[in-house]
Amino acid sequence: MVVSTFPPSRETALSRLAQFVPGAGRRYETGRNTDAGPDQPAAVSRLSPYLRYRLVGESEVVSQVLVRHDFDVAEKFVQEVLWRTYWKGWLEMRPSVWLRFQEERDRQLGSFPAARAIAAAETGLTGIVGFDDWARELVETGYLHNHARMWFASIWIFTLRLPWSLGADFFLRHLLDADAASNTLSWRWVAGLQTPGKIYLATADNIARYTNGRFAPKGLAREAIALTESPIEAAQVLREPVTHDVRQPSLLLVTHEDMTPESVFDSALDVRSILVCADAQLLWGDGARHFVSDAAADTAARASAQFGCTAHLIERLDAQTLIAAADVAGCKHILTPYAPVGPVADALAQLTPKLASAGITLVQKRRAWDSAFWPHAKKGFFPFKEKIPALLRESGLV
Ligand SMILES: Cc1cc2nc3c(=O)[nH]c(=O)nc-3n(C[C@H](O)[C@H](O)[C@H](O)COP(=O)(O)OP(=O)(O)OC[C@H]3O[C@@H](n4cnc5c(N)ncnc54)[C@H](O)[C@@H]3O)c2cc1C
């Protein structure tokens, strides 16, 4: 049921994008904050599951929008797309924040005494109108409007006073677009951790206004104090992408971090075989697992046509499977689109030395879009945002 609203194919992503593009200017700017409810027309694109797994890329989305609209007309939409890029770049330079979230979530899972309160919040039984509806909508559809995510997170933290990490975990287990960077850092932002001291407080008036009067919850916290934490690490230098000899016969590995390998790697590469991995253990929820599993079949068909060899679907990202496949294909190089901070990157980091001891080099290739924008995600979004027009111009990416 979840997947039917978001058919998991690149073709759907592209047709959804084409339908959305005419409204990416003023219509988006004025209507994007309104959440009229599931199944209602919306000014937002509902492209996030496709962007999350890169069935369509940020550069494609931005470039198609800018073909139709001048930058100043579509600026708001372009900036929103760049929030995803910004969060990924920010976390890439501070991987310990992802680790810190997981430790905090596990600690709370093991010790938070009010399990019933969590269960009521997750099943929509708190009695707070709107909040309960969003909890059910999330579980049923795998998607929530951005404003509903903000209201939900704010009420979870400041009205219900539940641990933010368990709310972030609830989102990860149900969102189709569940993502280490966007989810963790958005919850941190609402809680006042990401921009220390600055919280997002949901109000009944704002909710009533932007839900077209559907909800006006009573009893919301009227003031709140930002959560605090010990200082986080300074921004690290970005991992340098590894270069490789393009003439080497290679095995292409595709993970759910980037499911359009045909725009990452040149079709002239000597690709001997392709593995498309949908590893359920590296995803948090069943909705996302189904989405990725179907998208993997779609990706395999495209990649096979592009690189002219067979694509195999695999369900485990482990060294044994990769070594065996590389052996059969006669390759000592495995190429894969770059995996940003998250479970896939962790899995690749673990298996890289095992591949090396079998004489196999794993090469992760980062997209030009990420290389252009990520280094500028060292501070807040405001200085990053200021650079967007120049970076788009300079990089020739759109
Ligand atoms: C508490 C919270 C948790 C979130 N968790 C996730 C998550 O796990 N995965 C995820 O992909 N997004 C997450 N978001 C960001 C955002 O809510 C969704 O990407 C957005 O709702 C997607 O809907 P759309 O495609 O219709 O957006 P549109 O408004 O049409 O935006 C177009 C695209 O821009 C990007 N974008 C827009 N707003 C944001 C934003 N605030 N942050 C990052 N990217 C943005 C997305 O790629 C989106 O598809 C979270 C936001 C909050 C407040």
Side-chain angles (χ1 to χ4, degrees), residues 28 45-48 80 84 143 146 149 177 179 183:
Y28 180 82
S45 67
R46 291 180 173 143
L47 277 169
S48 58
E80 292 305 309
R84 174 181 298 282
Y143 173 86
N146 180 60
R149 297 184 200 207
D177 61 32
D179 177 66
N183 193 59

Side-chain angles (χ1 to χ4, degrees), residues 20 28 32 43-49 51-52 58 61 77-85 87 143-151 153 171-172 175-184 186-187 189-190:
F20 170 74
Y28 180 82
R32 70 186 187 94
V44 295
S45 67
R46 291 180 173 143
L47 277 169
S48 58
L51 279 159
R52 157 66 182 93
E58 291 104 304
V61 170
F77 179 73
V78 173
Q79 281 172 3
E80 292 305 309
V81 173
L82 263 301
W83 264 106
R84 174 181 298 282
T85 309
W87 284 141
Y143 173 86
L144 281 183
H145 186 282
N146 180 60
H147 222 162
R149 297 184 200 207
M150 290 162 61
W151 296 321
F171 269 26
L172 283 182
L175 284 170
L176 288 185
D177 61 32
D179 177 66
S182 285
N183 193 59
T184 312
S186 296
W187 274 86
W189 177 81
V190 171

Side-chain angles (χ1 to χ4, degrees), residues 66 79 89 195 236 303 311 382:
L66 293 182
Q79 281 172 3
T195 313
Q236 289 181 9
F382 188 75

Side-chain angles (χ1 to χ4, degrees), residues 137-311:
E137 183 184 337
L138 172 60
V139 171
E140 283 163 20
T141 69
Y143 173 86
L144 281 183
H145 186 282
N146 180 60
H147 222 162
R149 297 184 200 207
M150 290 162 61
W151 296 321
F152 186 94
S154 179
I155 295 169
W156 177 287
I157 298 168
F158 299 120
T159 297
L160 296 173
R161 296 175 173 274
L162 298 173
W164 76 270
S165 61
L166 297 188
D169 181 54
F170 174 52
F171 269 26
L172 283 182
R173 284 184 281 114
H174 293 283
L175 284 170
L176 288 185
D177 61 32
D179 177 66
S182 285
N183 193 59
T184 312
L185 303 182
S186 296
W187 274 86
R188 285 174 52 85
W189 177 81
V190 171
L193 294 168
Q194 191 63 18
T195 313
K198 192 166 172 284
I199 62 164
Y200 174 75
L201 196 59
T203 67
D205 285 352
N206 182 265
I207 293 172
R209 177 172 173 201
Y210 288 107
T211 57
N212 292 340
R214 287 184 302 133
F215 307 120
K218 295 200 170 43
L220 299 190
R222 285 177 183 269
E223 50 191 38
I225 296 170
L227 306 189
T228 53
E229 63 181 349
S230 55
I232 56 168
E233 64 173 326
Q236 289 181 9
V237 177
L238 283 170
R239 274 188 283 161
E240 271 310 305
V242 182
T243 50
H244 71 286
D245 180 349
V246 291
R247 292 160 306 179
Q248 293 290 335
S250 301
L251 175 76
L252 176 61
L253 169 68
V254 185
T255 72
H256 65 253
E257 293 295 0
D258 194 321
M259 304 190 87
T260 309
E262 61 270 33
S263 61
V264 179
F265 295 105
D266 196 318
S267 59
L269 284 179
D270 185 5
V271 175
R272 298 283 169 94
S273 183
I274 303 164
L275 299 180
V276 182
C277 178
D279 187 335
Q281 290 180 354
L282 304 179
L283 292 151
W284 298 278
D286 286 343
R289 288 183 187 121
H290 286 128
F291 186 93
V292 164
S293 169
D294 289 356
D298 174 70
T299 301
R302 280 183 282 110
S304 179
Q306 171 85 358
F307 297 103
C309 58
T310 312

